[in-house]
Amino acid sequence: MSNEHQNIHEFDFNLICEYFSLIERQGPGSPEMTLKALSFIDNLNDESVIADLGCGTGGQTMTLAQHTTAKVTGLDLFPGFIEQFNKNAANINLQHRVKGVIGSMDQLPFERESLDLIWSEGAIYNIGFERGVTEWREYLKKGGYIAVTDASWFTDERPAEINDFWNEAYPEIDTIPVKVAQIQKAGYIPVAAFCLPENCWTTNFYAPQVAAQELFLKKHPDNITALELIANERREAELYNRYNQYYGYVFYIGKKL
Ligand code: SAH
């Protein structure tokens, strides 16, 4: 990759980061669903260590931290998100046990078998579901848990338009039974799988973007990357409104054998 390309790439990353920093969550979800998933995890205490991979600015991490006494590390590739994450941890006075670090989910900076819980909402797609659950398992203690959300089909068949859109965006999207089987095959007991309700996408993810988009477009009126980013987000939201009975995010929870 030439320097020129690298700079363009970095510039795009920074723009995307800037856009998503305007909203509290960078993916669909809700505190209620984070807590519902947490209710399946039964091994946590003051000594526990949790990692939230692809944590973004830490919307769900702060919920996790406030409802456990564990040490929590958020990991994300974007320095801008981690900066905001650490501010958010300080704002709720949990900076002594909640820390954001810059890093990649395909090269985790943890010891093998050191974590009690691996969390990841709306981010495992970056590495792929099967690869993520398989590789991350190495870092869990025996009896530790993994809890991740991933885009999933709710039905065996669906209209071509939405099928094509998702297969291009994320070819690993699949039905719930397929993903549960992948969790089992990777060496976990599939403890739970549940669908996130519609408001996790509409009220909590797409609605806050409307105001953010106006702000962002005012700031970058002639920037092609910015215009494309907004057009993509709007198209995704519009498709979700039309086809949300066919797909959504599912929380998958597994316990390492
Ligand atoms: N968990 C957050 C953010 C989800 S968006 C939420 O639900 O709000 C996906 C996140 O994954 C982004 O913050 C992005 O920066 C991060 N990400 C993308 N590739 C990554 C990688 N290789 N390693 C770590 N984080 C990554």
Side-chain angles (χ1 to χ4, degrees), residues 59-223:
Q60 72 293 320
T61 331
M62 302 307 146
T63 303
L64 271 180
Q66 285 170 313
H67 290 85
T68 62
T69 52
K71 183 171 173 282
V72 186
T73 301
L75 176 125
D76 202 281
L77 202 55
F78 280 176
F81 287 166
I82 291 301
E83 198 179 310
Q84 186 61 45
F85 178 106
N86 284 322
K87 278 188 197 149
N88 293 343
N91 285 342
I92 56 169
N93 254 320
L94 288 182
Q95 66 279 12
H96 54 286
R97 64 177 174 91
V98 181
K99 294 210 169 23
V101 297
I102 301 164
S104 185
M105 56 176 72
D106 56 12
Q107 266 190 313
L108 296 182
F110 308 110
E111 299 278 316
R112 308 257 143 180
E113 309 217 334
S114 66
L115 304 173
D116 296 278
L117 172 61
I118 291 181
W119 204 267
S120 185
E121 293 193 36
I124 197 170
Y125 70 88
N126 288 297
I127 187 173
F129 185 81
E130 260 198 297
R131 180 176 168 204
V133 296
T134 304
E135 287 187 12
W136 297 350
R137 184 178 177 279
E138 302 292 313
Y139 297 87
L140 282 176
K141 295 176 187 163
K142 190 167 184 285
Y145 284 85
I146 187 165
V148 301
T149 59
D150 202 28
S152 310
W153 296 124
F154 294 162
T155 54
D156 281 334
E157 288 177 19
R158 71 242 24 136
E161 186 181 23
I162 194 63
N163 193 60
D164 295 350
F165 174 83
W166 271 95
N167 277 330
E168 174 156 353
Y170 181 48
E172 266 199 65
I173 186 169
D174 216 321
T175 59
I176 299 168
V178 168
K179 287 190 181 275
V180 169
Q182 288 169 347
I183 295 239
Q184 178 157 329
K185 191 171 150 236
Y188 302 91
I189 302 170
V191 172
F194 63 89
C195 302
L196 264 53
E198 212 176 306
N199 76 318
C200 287
W201 294 73
T202 51
T203 317
N204 296 356
F205 187 51
Y206 292 133
Q209 288 190 46
V210 174
Q213 285 165 359
E214 273 176 31
L215 246 169
F216 193 69
L217 286 176
K218 259 194 205 136
K219 202 169 159 203
H220 305 284
D222 305 316
N223 183 305

